Amino acid sequence: MSPRRRRPHLVFPDASELEEPLLDVQDLRTYFHTARGVVKANDGVSFTLNRGKTLGVVGESGSGKTVLTRSIMGLLPNIQLERSGSVRFAGHELTSLTAHQLRDVWGTQMAVIFQDPMTALNPVVRVDRQLTESLRIRLGLDRRAAHDTAIALLGSVGIPAPEQRMRNYPHELSGGMRQRVMIAIALACGPKLVLADEPTTGLDVTLQAQILDLLASLQRERSMGMILVTHDLGVVANRADDIAVMYAGRIVEQAPTKDLFSHTRMPYTEALLRSIPRLADPSHTRLRAIPGRPPDLASLPDGCPFAPRCPYAQDRCLTDDPPPRTAGAGHLFRCWFPVGSPEGEDALARNVAAGVPAALAFTGALAGAAISVTTVSVTATAVVTGSLAPDASLVPPAVPLVVPPVVPPVVSPGPAEGANGDATAGES
Amino acid sequence: MVDIGNANQAIERVREFEALTGTTGPVPPATATTASRSGLGVVFWVSFGWVLFMVLLAIFASVLPLKNPNFQDYSAVNIGPSIHHLLGTDDLGRDLLSRIIFGSRVSLIIGFASVGLALVAGGVLGLLAGYTGGWIDTVLNAGSLVVLAFPALLAILVIEAFWVPRSLLKLTIIFAVAGTPSLFRVIRATTLSFATREFVVAARTMGATTWRILFRELLPNVVPAAVSFALIGVAVAIILEGSLAFLGLSISLPTASLGNIVNEGVQNNNLTLNAYIALWPSLYIFILLVALNLMADRLRTRFDVRAGNL
Amino acid sequence: MAGSGTAQLRGDDLLLRVEHLVVEFGKGPRRVRAVSDVSFDVAAGETLGLVGESGCGKSTTGRAVALVHPPDQGSVRFAGTDLTTLNQRDLRQARTKVQMVFQDPISSLNPRRRVLDSVMEPLSIWGIGSNEERKAKARQTLESVGINPSDASSQRPIEFSGGQCQRISIARALMLEPSLLICDEPVSALDVSVQAQILNLLDDLKRERGLTMVFIAHDLAVVKNVSDRVAVMYLGKLCEVAPPDTLYRHPAHPYTAALLASIPEPDPSAATNGRAPLSGELPSPTDPPSGCRFRTRCPYAQEKCAIEEPEMRALGPDHFVACHFPLARPMVSTEAPAVAEPVGASPFSNA
């Protein structure tokens, strides 16, 4: 008995004939109503993705990046969920499709690669059936053809001896192999868009490089669109055409990759870049940690959500939510005092002079372990009182009250001129 | 390979944790705290109140203004609930309310005492086996399987037949022995899941002795699961005692026990003459069991960090 | 790879000296040598970075040094005493000077105990001081790692975030004033921005308290940042030992070079530096390759590599490699960043 081919209810144009962008997300809001209040996991997210392009979505845990992929696909459980905005995919408005119609989208048009293949794969089903099932149902292949296609797929994702691997259960495969199988399953029906949700987190660096290269080459071959979600800026730096940086459920900066790194506008992006240890830096270079932690999505502060941790923050940031602004083609950011602008430099200089902890930590003037609770609570108090100008009593005693030389914000990543002064050189 | 699993688990656990604690934000405010403290809910406390009330009634039965449960008033045989006999009387004119309350003593003592004993024995052995592993674990595990392999009811019948006369103490001991292996296994499994956690390793590096780790680090984590399982055990023991009593194999008459009363209620055509005799003790057992099960269920969900709180 | 041998060891008088460490798991034919003849030493006040992919035995090494999983062979000389020869009682005592910080901050703390109690526990175990004194010390230590002590006295770990839990674990490890701190992937479960906070904290604590650290991680950039000396491990053996700046600029072992090439740098201009990332996967540790263990994935492998296991040997002062055909310097040093070399680190730096 061969499974009948389900007649598609939706017609999708061939990707190459598509006039509009492959994916067009406008003002997507995904709210969860929980006991703790409304969790705004996505709060007005907009972007477009063209055929064959890669969008990197970068954010820390709790930034709403995973919810974004689920929300785009319509994969979220419908309980206590509030979703608005528009998701247009290949000429269809996904938000208005029924669950039944969405099944024509999933797999054949749009596929997802999950972070943990161990939980995404069915542990009691052989690789063989996990792969051929969708081929037979979606593409209507018979057993023989599905089997052959599956073996070809496994070969194409770089699995040696695919015939033997077909007989394995997921737990019999190594971590890298499992992720390759996941990719093969996702690509089985030739989707036009792949959503890769942290596809390499938990893999070793050498495997990570292999998997990312594999994804990139498959994407080129099939000219698929891809959304690569990750917490690691390094993963997307060389592999995405555009990057969207998420913070507190919204995209705070979005730009073509080169632009994002060379002309960073959003202080959060800059801070994130500065806080990562770099191979190029000498050992014991002091990291510019971002004090505090991301806000609770259920009780976002007024104004800019990054303001309490931001080295540039001024009074205005605590009350007025910055709207998206543009800086060049395709470069959007949300900040009143953008990095690299005169007002931004001004704001940072003022904060450093005033001894605002986030600014001191950022410019490296604050040595010692004091960046922590003291810092956070000072910032928090400042937020409450609505002013960032520090009260003398609020300044932690450990902080030397010497005004450090004002370091101009260095936009370009890499060893900054300001870095040498505070690097704990002379150690050892 | 082992490490990949660990890394994933660790990341996963941190994510879950951040989700539980309200993702983060400058020191989670009272919301998280109060939510987790009041997590047991109304259902638990109502059930707990009911069980406590039953236990208090049983304890203070002799000082309460209750009629003698064995006094036979032939002028008031088989009467329904009334102001003199709140739950009516049985076919010998005994007051059903006081018979049930005195009778519940047997059920409750056997239920709680035997499971309590089993909890202590199974707890100590389970902690030891789960944490130390090795031959201790192998031996104890095998032993528990041997005991579990006997059909409990049959075993109890056989032991009772040889160990006469029956007394409350003997019944309690037999029930405790029968219950120990199950509790041992639950506690051993829970201990195993905590024994590899880093806080236990940390305690070892700090020089803590095995006993300290067992009772200071592991025990508090094992208690919720053990207690919630034990509450179900109490329910099972009470039913078992009732069944034995129904078969005439529990405490000898005329001492009342809930099972005895049901037994009397269905004999001599009493079921058609006066259904109250069997109804009240059955209802008592039923409500008690529901309350115990609800308590166990709430405890389990509350202390299961993964499922609870969300 | 695979260096057995002890060329990388320095004097006899260093704080920690691990020789020919072997740790095995399992029984019979499935017995795995997770750590196979590893030797290293750490001077007082120094941070040794132990880096490698999962399954290379780096965490097992860390646990063996702390005697959490006693080694099957080899010696762990700590401050002049071989820990592996101690009896149970002396070991308990000696262990207090070697403390660990773990990967999973959540499971590092007992979920059922208040944070302050967890931090006080080391002192309680040894009965040091009165309850009040212990509390005072715990509060002081918590403060030094950036945790508000008044939160800690009433709250349980669930009320703290991952980064805060890691700070608390660090505070607990410091309570007995250890001289050696073994950090097993302390930041790999944390968010990027929090990771930097913890790394800075560890660096500060090390300086303030003169701590000696063994820092285990899979992230080379992180290891480079915190270490004074880095040892690269592969499949239970050491490949290369060198100061970080030397190692990262002039990797001599092909595996080190491959690892460096695989790191995704958050900088599009640093793109594809020409070094091909590694292919294939880790061989099974139950049946490791003969000779050099890395040869199955090594682009430079020769016949000799399958026959003879390479010994650790010196390439320069304080640069040791276990490879028959170490990489020549000029090949890889072309894109070396212009960073001042720490004085005396390597005489080859101008080569």
Side-chain angles (χ1 to χ4, degrees), chain A residues 1-9 100 103-108 128-147 149 185 188-189:
Chain A
M1 180 202 92
S2 84
R4 278 166 295 117
R5 179 178 183 171
R6 288 198 311 125
R7 179 153 316 189
H9 301 257
H100 194 67
R103 249 175 281 146
D104 289 334
V105 181
W106 296 340
T108 51
D128 180 336
R129 225 183 81 206
Q130 310 212 25
L131 257 170
T132 52
E133 203 154 59
S134 64
L135 287 171
R136 296 177 68 194
I137 295 173
R138 296 286 158 82
L139 301 185
L141 299 180
D142 64 28
R143 186 184 291 274
R144 193 68 249 161
H147 188 78
T149 315
I185 291 174
C189 301

Side-chain angles (χ1 to χ4, degrees), chain B residues 13 21 198 206-207 221, chain C residues 92 104 107 112 121 126 158:
Chain B
R13 207 170 294 149
T21 48
E198 275 90 356
M206 295 180 308
N221 287 293
Chain C
R92 250 189 84 206
D104 184 345
S107 109
R112 307 282 308 141
E121 178 70 9
W126 292 98
I158 191 158

Side-chain angles (χ1 to χ4, degrees), chain C residues 124 183 268 278 299 303 334 345:
Chain C
S124 313
C183 303
L278 218 49
E303 214 171 306
T334 43

Side-chain angles (χ1 to χ4, degrees), chain A residues 179-397:
Chain A
Q179 195 56 282
R180 284 171 195 270
V181 170
M182 264 297 295
I183 292 173
I185 291 174
L187 303 187
C189 301
K192 297 190 181 78
L193 175 66
V194 175
L195 301 162
D197 184 5
E198 302 257 17
T200 55
T201 308
L203 293 182
D204 284 314
V205 274
T206 56
L207 282 177
Q208 167 168 294
Q210 290 176 23
I211 296 287
L212 290 173
D213 287 346
L214 171 70
L215 272 176
S217 72
L218 288 170
Q219 185 202 10
R220 250 195 324 275
E221 270 168 38
R222 299 162 176 243
S223 91
M224 299 180 296
M226 180 154 81
I227 296 181
L228 186 57
V229 177
T230 176
H231 66 276
D232 188 345
L233 270 165
V235 165
V236 289
N238 295 314
R239 295 188 158 84
D241 300 295
D242 290 278
I243 293 180
V245 179
M246 287 193 75
Y247 189 79
R250 49 176 75 181
I251 294 178
V252 292
E253 183 162 20
Q254 185 181 358
T257 303
K258 281 239 155 61
D259 223 23
L260 186 92
F261 285 93
S262 58
H263 296 98
T264 313
R265 291 289 163 160
M266 182 67 199
Y268 174 65
T269 315
E270 189 194 29
L272 207 54
L273 277 167
R274 293 279 197 101
S275 69
I276 304 170
R278 305 290 277 270
L279 275 184
D281 293 340
S283 91
H284 295 291
T285 301
R286 192 167 185 82
L287 300 170
R288 316 296 180 80
I290 309 174
R293 46 186 180 148
D296 185 354
L297 291 175
S299 53
L300 290 173
D302 285 339
C304 171
F306 185 59
R309 307 170 74 191
C310 179
Y312 296 81
Q314 301 294 309
D315 287 350
R316 180 180 190 187
C317 305
L318 298 170
T319 49
D320 299 350
D321 194 4
R325 296 164 69 183
T326 53
H331 192 153
L332 287 169
F333 63 95
R334 284 167 172 261
C335 182
W336 294 120
F337 302 94
V339 178
S341 68
E343 60 272 28
E345 277 172 37
D346 239 32
L348 182 63
R350 217 170 319 145
N351 282 347
V352 170
V356 172
L360 295 185
F362 180 72
T363 51
L366 193 64
I371 316 164
S372 51
V373 153
T374 20
T375 316
V376 176
S377 62
V378 170
T379 322
T381 323
V383 173
V384 172
T385 57
S387 165
L388 279 172
D391 204 318
S393 62
L394 288 176
V395 178

Side-chain angles (χ1 to χ4, degrees), chain C residues 71-276:
Chain C
D72 293 277
Q73 292 169 40
S75 67
V76 178
R77 281 180 76 81
F78 173 73
T81 346
D82 184 352
L83 296 184
T84 57
T85 60
L86 294 181
N87 64 28
Q88 211 57 36
R89 230 193 56 217
D90 294 338
L91 179 61
R92 250 189 84 206
Q93 183 81 49
R95 248 182 192 169
T96 59
K97 292 288 153 202
V98 183
Q99 291 291 298
M100 287 191 77
V101 175
F102 301 92
Q103 175 182 20
D104 184 345
I106 311 302
S107 109
S108 295
L109 297 171
N110 191 334
R112 307 282 308 141
R113 300 180 80 177
R114 288 175 213 292
V115 162
L116 192 68
D117 293 336
S118 278
V119 178
M120 281 163 61
E121 178 70 9
L123 298 184
S124 313
I125 289 173
W126 292 98
I128 299 168
S130 69
N131 197 43
E132 280 316 303
E133 286 164 353
R134 286 176 210 162
K135 226 175 228 168
K137 173 144 193 202
R139 289 171 153 273
Q140 190 193 335
T141 315
L142 280 169
E143 198 140 33
S144 74
V145 298
I147 293 290
N148 186 345
S150 50
D151 291 343
S153 57
S154 61
Q155 296 181 345
R156 294 181 206 278
I158 191 158
E159 286 153 60
F160 292 89
S161 74
Q164 287 175 314
C165 284
Q166 199 59 296
R167 287 170 189 269
I168 295 165
S169 313
I170 292 171
R172 181 184 56 190
L174 295 177
M175 285 297 280
L176 289 169
E177 300 185 350
S179 30
L180 178 65
L181 194 61
I182 297 174
C183 303
D184 186 1
E185 299 264 14
V187 294
S188 55
L190 303 176
D191 262 324
V192 189
S193 68
V194 180
Q195 169 179 306
Q197 294 174 13
I198 300 293
L199 290 175
N200 281 347
L201 174 66
L202 284 172
D203 216 37
D204 293 334
L205 290 171
K206 182 194 156 198
R207 203 156 2 119
E208 283 162 20
R209 299 176 176 242
L211 280 174
T212 307
M213 287 205 283
V214 174
F215 191 98
I216 299 161
H218 67 274
D219 185 329
L220 284 110
V222 166
V223 167
K224 178 174 185 189
N225 184 270
V226 298
S227 308
D228 301 307
R229 207 161 184 246
V230 177
V232 183
M233 277 186 87
Y234 184 80
L235 212 61
K237 301 245 181 196
L238 285 184
C239 302
E240 190 168 1
V241 180
D245 293 314
T246 315
L247 185 87
Y248 286 71
R249 199 170 326 152
H250 311 297
H253 199 288
Y255 178 61
T256 315
L259 270 185
L260 287 169
S262 307
I263 297 179
E265 269 284 272
D267 181 0
S269 57
T272 46
N273 40 29
R275 290 180 290 202

Side-chain angles (χ1 to χ4, degrees), chain A residues 29-34 39 41 67 70-71 74-84:
Chain A
R29 286 167 203 272
T30 317
Y31 296 171
F32 298 98
H33 295 268
T34 70
V39 173
V67 173
R70 308 277 154 107
S71 192
L75 272 176
L76 291 166
N78 231 334
I79 319 154
Q80 287 156 338
L81 172 76
E82 185 187 327
R83 182 161 159 248
S84 68

